[in-house]
Amino acid sequence: MDRLQYSAWQYVAEVVPPEELPMLAAHALVDGRDSPALRELAGLQRRSDPAEVRELYVLALRELGIPLPDEETAGRCLLARLAFGLAEGELSPEDVGDGLSMTVAARTREETRFLSVAAEYSEWLGPDELPGWEKELRTAAHSLAATTDLGPSIGCPGCSVRLTD
């Protein structure tokens, strides 16, 4: 999957901070993407004005024909992607807990269950609590991955493909 396209979903779900966008743009250029705004964004420093970074990022996406999804769809796709990543062994349970954002949305029973269990993650979980939480999260991830309607058919990049593309 194209990392710039996936970043649009992460951007809307607020899991990619502005200081990471210049490096993302540089990687996109290496991947063969090109536009005036993308080149300008790639040249910015990590500590550049966040408003300028966001503006250039959105402009670069527009120049490249990459649409920004609505918040609900982006959040649901992010949630499904985390579930697929865990179910396929590409993410750890801790990665899932750390990958959640405040804008992740859940509409189905399986999405709600996965989100609920994932949100319980904390660095303060005791060693005796962690195995039970991990098992419950994996069960919820497999259930969501098996039942989700999210995927390429609705333009959700990567919801049903490997994270290592």
Side-chain angles (χ1 to χ4, degrees):
M1 174 215 309
D2 180 279
R3 77 176 94 207
L4 192 59
Q5 184 178 16
Y6 179 61
S7 75
W9 296 85
Q10 292 176 304
Y11 177 79
V12 172
E14 299 177 3
V15 295
V16 61
E19 61 268 13
E20 291 182 17
L21 295 175
M23 184 57 74
L24 178 76
H27 286 291
L29 288 169
V30 170
D31 291 345
R33 296 292 194 128
D34 192 16
S35 81
L38 189 65
R39 279 183 258 128
E40 189 175 345
L41 178 60
L44 293 180
Q45 299 293 319
R46 281 182 61 89
R47 293 181 296 272
S48 296
D49 175 32
E52 178 185 9
V53 170
R54 286 185 191 100
E55 182 180 320
L56 278 172
Y57 175 76
V58 171
L59 180 58
L61 291 179
R62 191 173 319 127
E63 289 173 353
L64 294 167
I66 299 172
L68 284 171
D70 64 86
E71 285 184 22
E72 179 184 345
T73 303
R76 289 183 68 219
C77 284
L78 178 63
L79 189 64
R81 181 145 175 134
L82 291 170
F84 275 103
L86 182 62
E88 295 175 3
E90 296 168 350
L91 294 175
S92 71
E94 291 81 9
D95 291 335
V96 171
D98 293 339
L100 293 178
S101 92
M102 296 305 290
T103 61
V104 170
R107 185 184 304 162
T108 68
R109 182 178 68 237
E110 290 82 8
E111 289 170 358
T112 302
R113 179 71 185 138
F114 180 73
L115 179 58
S116 174
V117 175
E120 292 174 6
Y121 175 70
S122 164
E123 62 187 42
W124 305 111
L125 279 176
D128 56 323
E129 299 170 301
L130 201 54
W133 173 78
E134 288 180 355
K135 181 180 180 188
E136 191 175 357
L137 184 64
R138 288 183 196 285
T139 300
H142 284 282
S143 177
L144 175 54
T147 61
T148 188
D149 62 343
L150 297 174
S153 64
I154 65 161
C156 179
C159 288
S160 61
V161 297
R162 299 184 57 79
L163 293 171
T164 56
D165 308 9

